[in-house]
Amino acid sequence: MKPDEQSTLGLGDLAFLDAVTDVVIAVDPAGDVVYANAALKGMLGWSPADLVGQPLAVLVPDHLRERHFAAFAEHMAKGTARITGGPPVVLPARHHDGHEVEVELTLTDHRMPDDTLVSVGVLRDLSTDRQLEWTATIAQYHAVTAEVATEIALVNDVHTLSDASSVLLRALTKALRWDAAIFWLVAENGSARPADYWHTDALSDDFQQMADPGLVTVPGRGLPGRVIKTRKPAWIEMIADDPGYFRRRTAERLGISTTFAFPILRDERVEGVVELMSREPVAVDAGLLTIVAEVGRRVGEFLHRRAADRDVARSDARKTAILMSAFDAIIGINHHGTVTDWNPAAERILGYAHQDAVGRALADLIVPEDLREAHRQGLQRFMETRRPRILGQPLELRAVHADGREFPVELAITQLEGIEPPEFVGYLRDISERKAVEDALARSRDELFRVATTLQDSMLPATLPQIPGHDVGVAFRPAGDGAEIGGDFYDVFQLDDTRWAALIGDVRGKGVSAARLTALVRYTARAAAVESHDPVQVLRLVNQAILVHEDEEPTFCTAAYVEVDLSRPGTLRLVRAGHPSPLRLTADGSVSPVGARGSLLGVLEEPSLTTSEVDLAVGEVLVLYTDGLIEARTEHGLLGEEGLASMVSEVGGTSASVVADHLKRRTVELQGGRTSDDLAVLAIKRLDPGA
């Protein structure tokens, strides 16, 4: 409701709001609370009766009160606040006991029957959402820990840090999806030098310069030295900004932005340091640092056990296998499939005591009934051919517990060397928890994809208006698998009886912040275009709206705005604001860029914008697009404007929809079916009025 509108609804009529789960608070012009609903007690610890009459500032954390008073004064002076009637904002509120609660605030103004103006705020508690996000993150990182430990445990000849380095680096880069890793071996005196490295195809072979064995660091020097000195993980968000990173120039030349490192510990002594690197900047992740610290401890302890097991192996090969991994079920069987060894972990995981398992057929103990015949045939086939099919390979199977229930396990079988008839050792791990986490993460990803798709769809018009004498076609494709909300958008809308407008743009960023900015740009442009016949003025008003838009990071937008005026057939008016050049496709298939380049929106108070008139003959098509097309990475490099123009020329003489769909399909194909950025296409074709 606007401040100058009358309402017959007074504060005494708001009792029904006590059934609402969100907190509702009304404040008078003096800044005092005049109403609060019952939900206040549960969220912020105040009873409504105790809060009414108090200044609203009691709910504002101490460090924000000065800003609160300034904003409230501005509100009273101007009659409205910057966030009044706008999208929700996230900020902290002060609980009655003094701690802060993260809330989402929606603010509106309301004029009472006695002409008193009150501000009404609706607060939603975000703490549950944040806890769920943190739980999912921790579950994901624990899955990484288990995956890395499994990779090392299943390689039989890993006994020392040098043995484990290649397996560890490969497993970590794969599990965490970082681009490269280096293993630093620490000497007795605390100095360290690179002993191994691993990188994905995203980095060139020149990466070896980052891990030159001639490099030496000491405690306190560089990132590895810092980890050696503190025995704790460390993170550098931007290598270019860290003067203490002694390989900074090499990293910048290779395009590496972020790095972090963690220690491999044995009895609190740093025996090695693992350093991971990313080409893309990555903010400090405290959860990840906690998890990799645990990985470092587990790897150090495991290798210590492996080294001890290797010594035992010199006297007893069969017992070595049993002692190798005490946290797994270790089961020995002979060539008949009879159990010969059954360690304590096997008792715990499978439910049979040692004396009840040894001497019985393994198939009758733990193999599900529908798999027993295949198990027996596999053992018989090996004895006849001596050709292993599953030895040394981790397998995910089902096992049967002593109580009859089935559960998922990971099993690796090795043959003991130098023993005839052959004997085997199986390493079995209960992966029920891991599977549960994987299933939960899969459901979370599915839900995230559904929410992202729904929000992305809401940012685009559901239907396009028919512009008389013109054919309009659009195409859109989100980046990757579509699970993240992008910033590309388009819009087509009618202005009056003779004018229509088409808008395409790309806002900075991803996710919810991009969605908010997209909505701001679209609806500001629609409102401005109805009032103004000047395309430049429309985008200037959009620029002003972005400048006053509050966000944690700087925001900006590129856009191209086209006005179709039926009173001037064949002439379109175009304004570009930092956006790629639209392309005009003639009937004979020739393609040319049109429009003068202008300033980005949301950067300058007075952007440089120019209206260009574009002549569009019958049969010609104007193609507007976002940079996801020209910056598409193909096997020959970026597609570029020339590559896109060539693609546009392939579809001369077709409908606008065919043009848009062709450009989207070909761009996706050139990237192997997975786009690295959002892409949007808007095509306008002039039709023959007599057709």
Side-chain angles (χ1 to χ4, degrees):
M1 176 175 293
K2 297 180 180 179
D4 58 352
E5 291 181 349
Q6 283 294 117
S7 169
T8 59
L9 189 63
L11 295 176
D13 302 313
L14 301 182
F16 69 93
L17 290 178
D18 284 339
V20 177
T21 57
D22 291 338
V23 171
V24 181
I25 298 175
V27 180
D28 66 14
D32 295 331
V33 177
V34 295
Y35 171 80
N37 69 341
L40 177 70
K41 181 68 175 178
M43 183 185 299
L44 296 177
W46 289 80
S47 68
D50 290 338
L51 185 64
V52 170
Q54 297 269 14
L56 179 63
V58 300
L59 299 183
V60 179
D62 293 342
H63 62 94
L64 294 178
R65 285 186 180 175
E66 185 174 343
R67 290 177 58 186
H68 163 76
F69 288 127
F72 195 85
E74 180 184 5
H75 182 193
M76 291 298 100
K78 294 184 177 180
T80 184
R82 283 180 290 176
I83 63 172
T84 301
V89 295
V90 176
L91 43 74
R94 185 178 182 275
H95 193 274
H96 190 270
D97 63 12
H99 79 273
E100 293 187 6
V101 178
E102 189 176 27
V103 300
E104 184 178 75
L105 168 66
T106 302
L107 186 64
T108 59
D109 284 341
H110 181 82
R111 191 168 294 281
M112 307 302 294
D114 61 359
D115 205 37
T116 302
L117 179 68
V118 297
S119 296
V120 179
V122 179
L123 287 75
R124 185 169 69 88
D125 188 354
L126 295 181
S127 58
T128 301
D129 295 347
R130 296 292 186 260
Q131 183 61 39
L132 289 174
E133 293 172 1
W134 175 247
T135 301
T137 299
I138 292 300
Q140 180 183 12
Y141 286 153
H142 278 299
V144 168
T145 304
E147 183 175 346
V148 172
T150 300
E151 288 274 354
I152 297 175
L154 293 177
V155 180
N156 293 326
D157 58 351
V158 170
H159 300 284
T160 67
L161 271 177
S162 296
D163 296 336
S165 60
S166 61
V167 179
L168 177 61
L169 300 185
R170 184 172 63 251
L172 279 170
T173 51
K174 175 185 175 184
L176 298 177
R177 298 182 181 177
W178 283 54
D179 296 316
I182 299 174
F183 172 69
W184 295 77
L185 187 63
V186 180
E188 288 291 334
N189 64 2
S191 65
R193 65 177 68 245
D196 204 353
Y197 68 92
W198 178 269
H199 66 82
T200 64
D201 293 338
L203 289 170
S204 69
D205 290 336
D206 290 343
F207 178 78
Q208 63 183 349
Q209 297 175 25
M210 292 290 292
D212 187 338
L215 294 171
V216 178
T217 188
V218 295
R221 179 174 182 260
L223 181 63
R226 192 188 316 170
V227 172
I228 295 169
K229 183 176 181 179
T230 63
R231 300 196 300 277
K232 295 179 180 179
W235 190 295
I236 299 177
E237 288 189 34
M238 292 298 297
I239 291 175
D241 298 335
D242 192 317
Y245 194 85
F246 60 87
R247 293 161 292 153
R248 183 174 55 180
R249 292 184 179 178
T250 304
E252 290 177 349
R253 182 169 53 79
L254 294 173
I256 298 171
S257 298
T258 299
T259 181
F260 77 91
F262 65 94
I264 305 295
L265 295 172
R266 174 182 170 185
D267 298 329
E268 296 305 313
R269 179 187 177 276
V270 180
E271 294 197 334
V273 174
V274 176
E275 181 182 12
L276 282 96
M277 302 174 183
S278 170
R279 293 180 304 151
E280 298 295 329
V282 183
V284 174
D285 188 335
L288 177 56
L289 288 179
T290 300
I291 294 301
V292 294
E294 177 64 20
V295 170
R297 283 191 292 271
R298 289 189 62 179
V299 169
E301 293 168 0
F302 176 77
L303 292 176
H304 178 51
R305 288 197 302 271
R306 274 280 177 95
D309 292 346
R310 182 181 55 181
D311 295 336
V312 175
R314 294 169 182 167
S315 61
D316 192 338
R318 182 162 59 86
K319 291 298 180 183
T320 298
I322 296 176
L323 296 174
M324 279 175 62
S325 301
F327 49 83
D328 289 336
I330 311 298
I331 304 170
I333 61 173
N334 62 21
H335 63 291
H336 294 301
T338 302
V339 176
T340 59
D341 283 297
W342 191 266
N343 75 336
E347 294 182 335
R348 185 184 72 254
I349 293 173
L350 295 163
Y352 293 98
H354 180 274
Q355 63 270 21
D356 296 329
V358 173
R360 295 182 59 182
L362 181 68
D364 296 336
L365 282 176
I366 70 169
V367 179
E369 188 173 352
D370 60 321
L371 299 178
R372 287 175 186 172
E373 185 59 31
H375 165 79
R376 294 188 178 99
Q377 290 180 2
L379 181 59
Q380 182 180 352
R381 183 169 51 249
F382 172 78
M383 293 303 300
E384 293 172 352
T385 65
R386 297 302 175 101
R387 295 177 181 174
R389 290 191 177 183
I390 65 170
L391 294 183
Q393 302 179 49
L395 304 172
E396 289 191 5
L397 303 168
R398 290 176 288 121
V400 179
H401 192 271
D403 62 12
R405 61 183 172 86
E406 293 188 6
F407 60 99
V409 298
E410 188 174 73
L411 174 66
I413 301 175
T414 62
Q415 180 185 356
L416 296 178
E417 297 180 1
I419 297 178
E420 280 293 336
E423 294 190 16
F424 309 91
V425 175
Y427 306 88
L428 183 144
R429 174 174 296 174
D430 182 353
I431 59 173
S432 301
E433 183 177 350
R434 191 180 86 192
K435 284 294 185 183
V437 170
E438 289 175 353
D439 291 344
L441 289 174
R443 290 192 298 270
S444 297
R445 285 193 294 268
D446 291 343
E447 178 63 15
L448 178 60
F449 180 83
R450 185 189 66 78
V451 172
T453 302
T454 301
L455 185 52
Q456 188 79 66
D457 290 344
S458 71
M459 293 161 54
L460 303 173
T463 59
L464 296 177
Q466 298 296 317
I467 303 178
H470 297 78
D471 179 27
V472 179
V474 294
F476 178 81
R477 168 72 181 243
D481 59 5
E484 186 173 25
I485 304 162
D488 288 15
F489 66 91
Y490 60 81
D491 202 359
V492 180
F493 48 94
Q494 186 174 0
L495 302 176
D496 54 34
D497 292 340
T498 62
R499 295 186 305 130
W500 276 259
L503 176 68
I504 191 168
D506 183 3
V507 304
R508 179 186 185 274
K510 300 285 185 183
V512 176
S513 62
R516 289 199 299 263
L517 185 56
T518 297
L520 174 70
V521 171
R522 282 186 60 205
Y523 293 115
T524 301
R526 279 178 171 250
V530 171
E531 299 296 329
S532 175
H533 283 237
D534 182 0
V536 167
Q537 181 61 18
V538 171
L539 293 192
R540 287 189 183 278
L541 292 173
V542 171
N543 182 72
Q544 293 175 11
I546 297 175
L547 288 175
V548 299
H549 171 71
E550 290 190 355
D551 207 326
E552 294 180 356
E553 298 181 0
T555 55
F556 58 82
C557 172
T558 73
Y561 178 87
V562 176
E563 183 185 88
V564 180
D565 190 343
L566 300 185
S567 66
R568 304 180 65 203
T571 301
L572 309 181
R573 293 202 294 169
L574 165 68
V575 180
R576 291 171 55 206
H579 203 75
S581 300
L583 300 175
R584 177 171 51 200
L585 171 64
T586 64
D588 62 4
S590 62
V591 178
S592 59
V594 295
R597 184 178 181 86
S599 304
L600 289 169
L601 302 179
V603 178
L604 304 174
E605 289 285 349
E606 296 293 335
S608 175
L609 301 172
T610 304
T611 300
S612 302
E613 292 193 347
V614 180
D615 294 328
L616 198 66
V618 171
E620 293 184 346
V621 183
L622 181 65
V623 179
L624 300 97
Y625 56 90
T626 56
D627 61 8
L629 282 84
I630 57 176
E631 294 180 1
R633 295 187 178 277
T634 73
E635 60 180 6
H636 304 297
L638 296 183
L639 179 62
E641 294 182 354
E642 292 185 3
L644 180 62
S646 176
M647 195 183 297
V648 171
S649 68
E650 298 170 356
V651 285
T654 57
S655 69
S657 294
V658 170
V659 172
D661 288 339
H662 173 78
L663 297 182
K664 180 187 76 169
R665 178 176 53 81
R666 289 285 293 124
T667 304
V668 173
E669 288 175 353
L670 290 173
Q671 297 179 91
R674 184 178 178 85
T675 55
S676 58
D677 193 8
D678 308 323
L679 58 90
V681 184
L682 193 160
I684 304 173
K685 180 177 181 179
R686 186 182 175 199
L687 303 176
D688 184 353

